[in-house]
């Protein structure tokens, strides 16, 4: 049963890229299963810093086949730019495989997202403006354009005609914008298709054959559980499904292959964009986490909102995904606090909750029940074994493990590969 699912347990930005890179040694395939270039990973390995938006995190290791699966929305211009940049830094990207079934982000998705988010004013979601929501909406409405459509010009033109009839009316008549030109899109996208030709594949079949041959496959999620379209803080969510169940739907194989479901959890919590965040620290403590943790988006550069660890969110993630273990990241960021707050429960509507309450009103008014634990003064970046961490840091890790009910297998104390301490 050689498949492993790795996903974020908070609002994204848990440090999944580094965790996947750490685990990737033992993998043969790394598969990105949802989202698009709204995600951003920074990986530091062998002295190199790489920023990835679409390409899976296994790209650094030459023995790995990296796959972009059906459930990802792909902006081909961005993908090609990323491949060019990775190639220029000396990496061999020729093995990347892109599903023929993946949907494409089109120029009108970007245009429409810009104007619709502006129109929402104070109700705007604070999206990354990469066209993610509009592309997934067209996919569900069955007017999306897929990678395979690029290899049949007649079909591409027909599908574009259908979709642009409506999009251009909305752009011009509702939002007073200029229409997009079909001819320009066809020319650009056929050009992208040519350059991507050697990468496109029947990735479902590829993964099926790999699993049957006993290969190790890692399914890499983007964003996090609390941004899940169904299970997150709707409508302040992304338009895809980061939870573990969707990894299989996207990659195209069954659950019998899955052996491990690894949740990536940051030692504190961050969130980008609008929406409820019960443990947010709107004070100097939150600023300190943001500064020490460099909490600015890889994709948009936006400052992330910061707050204390939330065990309710962790228990919710464990329940939704069947987590078999956790990787705890960025423990080093918490050095220097005299005491650390941990949310161990919520009070809302006269009740108490040990994970996420069943409706949005209760979640919006949820008041954390805090426990305070002693902090530690020492910087952790040079520590190379769990036993060498200050005893307060070890106790913090063990307490999170106990609260979440899931074993922590690795603790991160910095961005480099060697700063991952196995337990
Ligand atoms: P969208 O995914 O661009 O539609 O944005 C929807 C929401 O998800 C916004 O609040 C974004 O800030 C958030 N979001 C999307 N991708 C990420 C991510 O990789 N990390 C953190 N937040 C994200």
């Amino acid at each position: 049963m050689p498949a492993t699912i790795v996903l974020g347990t908070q609002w994204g930005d848990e440090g999944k890229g580094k965790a996947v890179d750490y685990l990737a040694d033992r993998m043969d395939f790394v598969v990105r299963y949802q989202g698009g270039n709204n995600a951003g990973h920074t990986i530091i390995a062998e002295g190199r810093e790489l920023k990835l938006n679409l390409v899976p995190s296994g790209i650094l290791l030459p023995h790995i086949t990296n796959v972009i699966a059906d459930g990802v929305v792909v902006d081909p211009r961005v993908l090609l730019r990323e491949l060019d940049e990775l190639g220029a830094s000396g990496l061999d990207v020729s093995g990347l495989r892109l599903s023929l079934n993946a949907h494409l982000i089109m120029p009108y998705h970007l245009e429409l997202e810009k104007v619709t988010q502006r129109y929402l004013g104070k109700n705007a979601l604070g999206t990354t403006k990469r066209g993610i929501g509009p592309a997934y909406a067209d996919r569900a409405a069955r007017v999306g354009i897929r990678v395979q459509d690029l290899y049949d010009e007649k079909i591409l033109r027909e599908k574009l005609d259908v979709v642009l009839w409506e999009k251009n009316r909305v752009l011009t008549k509702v939002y007073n914008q200029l229409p997009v030109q079909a001819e320009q899109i066809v020319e650009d996208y056929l050009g992208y298709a040519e350059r991507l030709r050697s990468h496109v594949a029947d990735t479902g079949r590829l993964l099926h054959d790999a699993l049957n041959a006993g290969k190790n496959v890692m399914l890499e999620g983007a964003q996090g559980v609390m941004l899940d379209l169904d299970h997150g803080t709707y409508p302040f969510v992304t338009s895809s499904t980061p939870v573990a169940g969707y990894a299989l739907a996207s990659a195209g194989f069954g659950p019998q292959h899955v052996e491990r479901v690894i949740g990536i959890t940051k030692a504190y919590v961050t969130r980008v964009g609008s929406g409820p965040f019960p443990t947010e620290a709107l004070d100097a403590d939150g600023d300190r986490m943001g500064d020490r943790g460099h909490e600015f988006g890889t994709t948009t550069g936006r400052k992330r909102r910061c707050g204390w660890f939330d065990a309710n969110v962790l228990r919710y993630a464990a329940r939704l995904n069947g987590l078999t273990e956790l990787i705890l990241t960025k423990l080093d960021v918490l050095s220097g606090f005299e005491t650390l707050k941990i949310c161990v429960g919520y009070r809302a509507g006269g009740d108490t909750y040990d994970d996420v309450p069943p409706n949005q009103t209760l979640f919006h008014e949820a008041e954390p029940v805090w426990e305070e634990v002693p902090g530690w003064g020492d910087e952790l970046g040079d520590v190379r074994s769990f036993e060498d961490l200050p005893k307060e840091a070890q106790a913090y890790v063990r307490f999170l493990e106990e609260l979440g009910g899931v074993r922590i297998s690795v603790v991160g104390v910095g961005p480099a590969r060697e700063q991952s301490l196995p337990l």
Side-chain angles (χ1 to χ4, degrees):
M1 294 197 295
T4 300
I5 302 175
V6 180
L7 59 104
T9 62
Q10 297 163 341
W11 278 276
D13 308 314
E14 297 91 351
K16 290 181 290 295
K18 187 201 160 197
V20 171
D21 178 62
Y22 169 81
L23 295 161
D25 260 351
R26 281 154 283 169
M27 298 293 153
D28 301 298
F29 286 76
V30 175
V31 183
R32 174 76 184 275
Y33 64 82
Q34 43 70 232
N37 59 311
N38 49 349
H41 294 327
T42 308
I43 299 176
I44 299 178
E46 281 140 27
R48 283 198 292 199
E49 180 173 306
L50 287 178
K51 289 195 192 306
L52 303 174
N53 292 118
L54 264 169
V55 172
S57 313
I59 198 71
L60 237 66
L61 297 175
H63 73 276
I64 290 181
T65 303
N66 289 277
V67 175
I68 298 177
D70 298 28
V72 177
V73 286
V74 176
D75 186 330
R77 196 176 43 102
V78 174
L79 177 58
L80 284 164
R81 194 173 60 213
E82 199 167 315
L83 289 175
D84 286 346
E85 282 169 13
L86 293 170
S89 79
L91 289 171
D92 178 7
V93 293
S94 62
L96 179 89
R97 292 292 168 261
L98 168 63
S99 172
L100 285 158
N101 290 341
H103 277 251
L104 294 166
I105 296 179
M106 306 297 289
Y108 45 86
H109 293 139
L110 297 161
E111 283 301 309
L112 282 166
E113 180 158 33
K114 208 161 47 187
V115 287
T116 51
Q117 284 296 305
R118 202 184 303 148
Y119 164 79
L120 283 170
K122 71 173 176 42
N123 295 319
L125 304 177
T127 69
T128 60
K129 299 200 180 74
R130 300 296 194 265
I132 307 295
Y136 276 116
D138 279 0
R139 169 179 178 258
R142 291 158 296 176
V143 291
I145 312 266
R146 297 191 291 174
V147 169
Q148 58 184 276
D149 299 326
L150 299 179
Y151 298 96
D152 185 329
E153 187 175 337
K154 186 162 164 284
I155 286 189
L156 176 64
R157 285 183 184 277
E158 275 172 23
K159 290 195 172 178
L160 263 180
D161 272 353
V162 171
V163 74
L164 286 186
W165 186 89
E166 189 213 351
K167 301 293 179 202
N168 274 338
R169 274 170 179 70
V170 173
L171 277 171
T172 55
K173 296 196 188 324
V174 179
Y175 294 109
N176 210 16
Q177 302 292 306
L178 292 172
V180 296
Q181 302 300 329
E183 209 40 57
Q184 187 62 52
I185 295 178
V186 170
E187 188 187 322
D188 290 346
Y189 276 64
L190 289 179
Y192 303 146
E194 231 11 79
R195 294 186 56 205
L196 287 170
R197 190 180 284 278
S198 62
H199 296 287
V200 300
D202 178 351
T203 54
R205 181 75 211 205
L206 180 72
L207 293 171
H208 171 86
D209 291 347
L211 287 163
N212 282 344
K215 302 282 186 207
N216 290 311
V217 173
M218 179 188 291
L219 302 164
E220 171 188 21
Q223 288 87 42
V225 167
M226 299 304 284
L227 289 172
D228 185 278
L229 186 57
D230 292 301
H231 303 287
T233 48
Y234 190 89
F236 302 102
V237 292
T238 191
S239 296
S240 67
T241 308
V243 295
Y246 187 70
L248 304 172
S250 169
F253 59 81
Q256 79 277 18
H257 292 290
V258 179
E259 191 172 52
R260 299 162 80 190
V261 184
I262 304 177
I264 313 301
T265 288
K266 194 148 62 178
Y268 51 99
V269 184
T270 60
R271 161 158 218 179
V272 200
S274 316
F277 179 2
T279 64
E280 184 167 16
L282 291 163
D283 54 11
D285 290 343
D287 289 343
R288 182 179 163 87
M289 291 176 209
D291 289 343
R292 286 182 54 88
H294 309 292
E295 296 294 354
F296 294 90
T298 317
T299 308
T300 59
R302 286 185 294 172
K303 194 170 188 303
R304 298 176 185 145
R305 299 156 65 191
C306 296
W308 296 105
F309 192 84
D310 188 334
N312 279 35
V313 165
L314 176 58
R315 285 188 283 253
Y316 184 61
R319 160 158 82 83
L320 285 173
N321 298 286
L323 299 179
T324 60
E325 66 191 82
L326 290 169
I327 293 183
L328 185 73
T329 60
K330 297 184 99 164
L331 185 65
D332 54 304
V333 171
L334 296 182
S335 291
F337 283 104
E338 202 156 306
T339 59
L340 302 166
K341 284 163 71 170
I342 300 172
C343 168
V344 297
Y346 295 151
R347 283 197 198 90
D351 275 318
T352 55
Y353 293 89
D354 66 2
D355 69 15
V356 170
N359 74 57
Q360 60 186 357
T361 308
L362 290 168
F363 193 65
H364 275 265
E365 68 186 48
E367 284 290 335
V369 178
W370 297 111
E371 282 217 15
E372 281 201 35
V373 297
W376 57 90
D378 305 348
E379 293 294 346
L380 307 183
D382 292 332
V383 177
R384 290 292 172 269
S385 84
F386 180 73
E387 292 69 30
D388 289 339
L389 287 171
K391 67 177 189 337
E392 296 83 359
Q394 293 189 34
Y396 183 78
V397 173
R398 293 301 184 196
F399 190 36
L400 301 193
E401 199 168 42
E402 186 188 317
L403 289 168
V406 185
R407 179 175 80 88
I408 294 177
S409 57
V410 179
V411 173
V413 292
R417 240 184 221 168
E418 57 280 12
Q419 290 172 307
S420 297
L421 317 180
L423 262 74

